[in-house]
Amino acid sequence: MPLSSRSVSRRTTLAAAPLLLLASCRWGPADDSGSEREAKPTGSASAKPSDDDQVTAARDAIRRVEVFVSTTSNTHGRLSTPLAALTALHGAHLELLEDHSDPDEPTPRTQVPARTGAALVAVRREEQSLQRTLTQLAGEVSSGTLARTLAAMAAGVAQQIAVLPTNPKGDGA
Amino acid sequence: MSPVESLQTTLAAEHAAVWLYGVLGGQTSQTSQPRLYGVFTAAYAAHRGRRDQLVRWILDADAEPVVADVAYELPNPARTPAQLSAIALQVEQRCAATYADLVARTVDDVRAWGVTALIEAAVRQLDVDGEPTDLPGIDT
């Protein structure tokens, strides 16, 4: 179901309000969950990435896939409608993670398959990889609130993968 | 809320899901509604498996697992396919929210289990007339 960027953004802003408040404290401490991980001694903390690092990793992964999807959409006009919801989803998630990337920063270069069918397969593969990354990060972070957010993002990506068409209509690829 | 309390809350949600999917399966014709019947049957098995896992974890923590209610209230008459799907959607949305809370309040294996459960519940929503959202379990 395609969603306009506007509606997703508004809805996400509402959902994100409490999260953005938390973001001002750099995602932690988690909440009043009594999370065992936070109560544990931090003997191995030096080897463990901080939650800020994990947020950066999540943002980079989303941004990379967003660029791939946008490029695919621009290259294969036939896919622009089915991919619109994905683009909106990634934008909403980046907004939630406070993407402060410099607008003048060069867009990462990405190569998209020339055939539409192959491009759609590649999008699905990229999204599945993003889902795995977000799932892994959700398991690794210290903040329970951040873990929940990343898990929900992974679930949102999984839903979009599920509704992604398997073959563009009329494609001869 | 402690991790064990969160497990108990999730177990209570699974008890409800198992009961409700039992009702939904009983109200669905395998012959005339094979797709819906398949969705409900698979969901019933999935929630039963999750319920049993939660019981094991709670017992391992030397706590007494919460028991199921005798019955649960249906939000509609559960007669038409649309009504049955609406109930299933509500079940999955509530379970997704519970899993999301479990993720926030636990670590390691239990958290990983919660993430997987959340993702599966989110995708299952689509089988029962649900629509994708940005943050399943949080914004639904």
Side-chain angles (χ1 to χ4, degrees):
Chain A
M1 181 207 64
L3 294 170
S4 73
S5 303
R6 181 178 297 275
S7 68
V8 169
S9 179
R10 184 182 297 123
R11 183 154 43 83
T12 301
T13 301
L14 290 172
L19 298 169
L20 293 174
L21 286 174
L22 283 164
S24 65
C25 351
R26 311 301 291 171
W27 294 102
D31 48 23
D32 61 350
S33 65
S35 162
E36 293 168 11
R37 180 170 295 159
E38 288 161 356
K40 281 180 180 172
T42 54
S44 60
S46 58
K48 188 175 171 298
S50 70
D51 279 5
D52 282 348
D53 290 340
Q54 303 285 46
V55 167
T56 300
R59 217 161 40 209
D60 289 349
I62 296 168
R63 177 86 177 117
R64 190 176 59 78
V65 176
E66 182 198 40
V67 169
F68 186 83
V69 172
S70 296
T71 306
T72 302
S73 188
N74 292 336
T75 307
H76 301 279
R78 199 183 308 170
L79 296 179
S80 61
T81 300
L83 297 184
L86 269 177
T87 305
L89 179 76
H90 296 322
H93 287 175
L94 285 171
E95 186 184 329
L96 202 52
L97 294 173
E98 289 192 310
D99 186 15
H100 294 310
S101 31
D102 181 354
D104 295 330
E105 189 179 313
T107 305
R109 294 177 67 85
T110 187
Q111 272 201 317
V112 171
R115 302 180 74 172
T116 306
L120 192 55
V121 169
V123 166
R124 181 180 298 277
R125 195 170 52 236
E126 292 289 328
E127 295 293 343
Q128 288 167 337
S129 173
L130 175 60
Q131 183 193 324
R132 285 193 296 273
T133 299
L134 292 171
T135 297
Q136 181 186 339
L137 291 172
E140 291 176 353
V141 295
S142 297
S143 161
T145 304
L146 178 56
R148 177 172 56 189
T149 303
L150 292 170
M153 288 179 177
V157 171
Q159 283 185 329
Q160 289 296 341
I161 293 171
V163 298
L164 200 61
T166 52
N167 194 23
K169 202 173 182 179
D171 175 51
Chain B
M1 186 185 284
S2 71
V4 171
E5 287 170 332
S6 188
L7 287 171
Q8 296 277 30
T9 301
T10 311
L11 175 58
E14 291 294 5
H15 281 317
V18 168
W19 190 91
L20 287 162
Y21 271 115
V23 171
L24 297 178
Q27 294 289 97
T28 310
S29 164
Q30 185 174 8
T31 308
S32 61
Q33 300 158 309
R35 191 198 70 82
L36 207 53
Y37 184 85
V39 168
F40 291 162
T41 303
Y44 176 81
H47 284 289
R48 211 170 57 167
R50 296 204 182 284
R51 178 201 62 187
D52 295 346
Q53 178 63 62
L54 288 161
V55 167
R56 284 194 291 274
W57 273 330
I58 292 167
L59 289 173
D60 287 348
D62 289 329
E64 187 67 27
V66 294
V67 296
D69 288 348
V70 175
Y72 295 83
E73 190 176 347
L74 295 170
N76 66 45
R79 291 201 187 97
T80 68
Q83 289 170 341
L84 298 173
S85 289
I87 295 171
L89 179 59
Q90 196 176 93
V91 167
E92 296 302 335
Q93 287 174 336
R94 288 184 179 177
C95 281
T98 307
Y99 299 141
D101 278 346
L102 184 71
V103 167
R105 297 176 192 282
T106 56
V107 295
D108 300 331
D109 289 350
V110 177
R111 180 188 284 180
W113 183 92
V115 176
T116 301
L118 170 57
I119 290 171
E120 289 181 3
V123 173
R124 199 174 294 121
Q125 289 172 25
L126 306 175
D127 290 331
V128 287
D129 300 339
E131 299 283 357
T133 64
D134 294 346
L135 298 169
I138 295 179
D139 64 4
T140 52

